[in-house]
Each structure stands twice: as C-alpha cells, then as structure tokens.
Amino acid sequence: MKKRNNLDTAGFWLQPMAVLQGTAVALALLLLTSLGLALAVYFLPWQAAPNLLNLLAHLAVFAGAAWSGKKCLKKAWIHGIAVGLASFVLLGFLGSADIALLTWLWWQKLLRMLFVAMLGGMMGGLLKRG
C-alpha cells in the first residue's frame, strides 16, 4: 500500500455511506420544502412557479452533496456527483413512470444537476475539518 501526502492510494475510494447520507439529506430537504410549499399554496392565494421548484430541488441536492463531501475522506467532488446522480434518478422515478432517457432535455437536466452536485461536494470537502 503506497502513501502519498499521508493518504492511502490503494483501496476503494468511494464511500457508499457518505453517498447514501448525502442522498438522504437531499431527499429530506426536498420533502420538507415540498410540505412547506404545499401549506403555503393551501392557505395563501399563491401558486408556486416551476422555476422556484427547480431552484429548490437544485438547492436540496447541493446541500446533500455538500453533506456527502464533508463526510467522505477524499474525492469529495465525485461523492457530490454520485449524490446528484442518485437524487436525479430517484426523483425521476418518483416523478414520472416513463423516463425518456434519449431526449436532449433529460440529458441537459442531468448534466445541470450533476454540475450543481459536484460544486456542492467540493464545497463540503472544503468545509471539512482537519
């Protein structure tokens, strides 16, 4: 086992628990914001715009990826991408039964979500202590 900068370079570098925790944080934040929006729409004469819902979904995935990046030992950006991919796939299956994988719009949304999640993972990696 080689050491470079006091880190083991051999072994599996992706930590599934960090990805799972980040995905759970993202989904929990999405659930809380959707409940809050549902209450606001029910009690107020207001409708949520699709752009607002899109922004809230991206912020939740960013926060989940940051959580994952903070919990992993190395390669926080890849952990963020894994959280973004897992969240996107889960939200896609929950939101629609037929997912058109070959449409350009689907791939564009996936790439945007992965980019936001990568930034979240890097931010979490920068915020970790030690």
Side-chain angles (χ1 to χ4, degrees):
M1 197 175 334
K2 296 180 182 179
K3 292 216 177 219
R4 183 183 302 158
N5 297 332
N6 294 327
L7 291 175
D8 293 333
T9 57
F12 192 62
W13 43 265
L14 186 67
Q15 295 172 301
M17 280 308 291
V19 174
L20 186 63
Q21 286 176 357
T23 305
V25 166
L27 293 178
L29 286 173
L30 280 171
L31 179 67
L32 289 175
T33 56
S34 65
L35 287 175
L37 284 175
L39 288 174
V41 167
Y42 183 74
F43 289 113
L44 300 173
W46 173 74
Q47 289 293 336
N51 288 338
L52 175 66
L53 300 174
N54 194 12
L55 175 70
L56 291 174
H58 281 78
L59 286 175
V61 171
F62 181 86
W67 180 278
S68 178
K70 192 172 181 177
K71 295 294 178 183
C72 71
L73 294 177
K74 54 185 171 180
K75 298 190 192 262
W77 64 279
I78 293 179
H79 285 79
I81 289 174
V83 168
L85 182 63
S87 299
F88 189 80
V89 168
L90 282 174
L91 291 175
F93 282 128
L94 292 176
S96 173
D98 61 355
I99 299 174
L101 297 177
L102 298 177
T103 64
W104 171 245
L105 183 62
W106 187 88
W107 286 103
Q108 185 180 13
K109 288 180 181 181
L110 174 66
L111 290 175
R112 185 174 45 225
M113 184 66 77
L114 292 181
F115 180 71
V116 168
M118 180 184 68
L119 292 178
M122 291 188 318
M123 184 65 70
L126 289 174
L127 294 177
K128 78 179 135 176
R129 295 184 185 188

